[in-house]
Amino acid sequence: MMKFNILLVTFLLIISCKSDGKKNKTALADNRETEFVVQKEFDTDLKVYDFDGLEPLLNKKDGKVHVINFWATWCVPCVKELPYFEQLQNAYADKNVEVLLVSLDFPHQYDTKLKPFIKERKIKSEVVALDDADMNSWIPKVDESWSGSIPATIIYKNDERQFFEQSFTFEELENQVKPFLN
């Protein structure tokens, strides 16, 4: 079993981001062996969740349109599309649209990479980190079709939901959000 886990993690680490604009994917890979609490905060700037803590944020029934993007600082197409999520948040905040950016960066890099990245890029949308090594359990809970590659985005309002395993331009993202505004 241990050899299988090592082989699986090695395989996932080999898969990397594509730099073209179509179906950019990066495998989520992590060799951490941790049991994790529902939520812990490193400081006021970054909330860190395991999947049980994050799951309620993926299923709100409050009449708002929720746009949830799974990304990481090491994923080139993820970083490329982040300004479009920020632009969407700014353009549609008065129309009950909320953007949540779920970082899949490695925990040991929260202070050295993730937090400085958020500060330098002046990201205003809410950013949380997901630290849950049991990706085989939580990935299909996000969406059964999700291979685990990023960037990945959920757009939902109450019980209506769409999942995308791709990169977006602002126009593409806006076109996917508009039907939820009705």
Side-chain angles (χ1 to χ4, degrees), residues 10-170:
T10 303
F11 172 74
L12 291 174
L13 285 172
I14 292 172
I15 299 174
S16 65
C17 296
K18 295 179 186 175
S19 61
D20 66 19
K22 299 174 186 157
K23 292 273 181 179
N24 295 310
K25 295 184 178 186
T26 299
L28 304 178
D30 195 357
N31 60 359
R32 294 170 283 149
E33 295 178 16
T34 57
E35 299 279 326
F36 215 76
V37 295
V38 172
Q39 176 182 354
K40 82 177 182 184
E41 283 189 47
F42 280 79
D43 63 34
T44 56
D45 295 332
L46 183 67
K47 292 181 181 174
V48 180
Y49 295 93
D50 71 351
F51 186 75
D52 289 338
L54 179 70
E55 192 169 24
L57 302 177
L58 307 179
N59 297 296
K60 293 181 179 181
K61 294 186 178 13
D62 58 6
K64 294 181 181 178
V65 177
H66 295 273
V67 179
I68 302 173
N69 179 251
F70 291 85
W71 69 288
T73 59
W74 44 262
C75 169
V76 174
C78 298
V79 171
K80 183 179 178 182
E81 72 176 359
L82 277 178
Y84 307 135
F85 287 93
E86 285 289 277
Q87 187 178 351
L88 184 79
Q89 175 69 47
N90 292 333
Y92 288 88
D94 62 340
K95 294 180 173 65
N96 281 329
V97 174
E98 289 186 0
V99 172
L100 176 65
L101 303 173
V102 180
S103 169
L104 300 175
D105 281 273
F106 301 109
H108 69 276
Q109 294 182 330
Y110 292 163
D111 290 326
T112 59
K113 275 194 91 171
L114 180 58
K115 289 179 186 178
F117 180 92
I118 294 166
K119 187 176 180 180
E120 290 166 8
R121 305 278 175 127
K122 297 179 176 138
I123 296 175
K124 301 295 183 204
S125 297
E126 183 178 3
V127 178
V128 299
L130 176 59
D131 182 12
D132 194 324
D134 190 13
M135 61 186 161
N136 290 331
S137 171
W138 62 261
I139 286 173
K141 291 179 183 175
V142 172
D143 190 271
E144 288 183 15
S145 69
W146 190 13
S147 73
S149 296
I150 57 175
T153 303
I154 301 167
I155 301 172
Y156 79 91
K157 179 179 179 181
N158 298 327
D159 292 324
E160 187 181 349
R161 171 178 306 261
Q162 286 193 316
F163 177 79
F164 305 90
E165 193 169 0
Q166 68 180 60
S167 290
F168 284 102
T169 64
F170 177 73

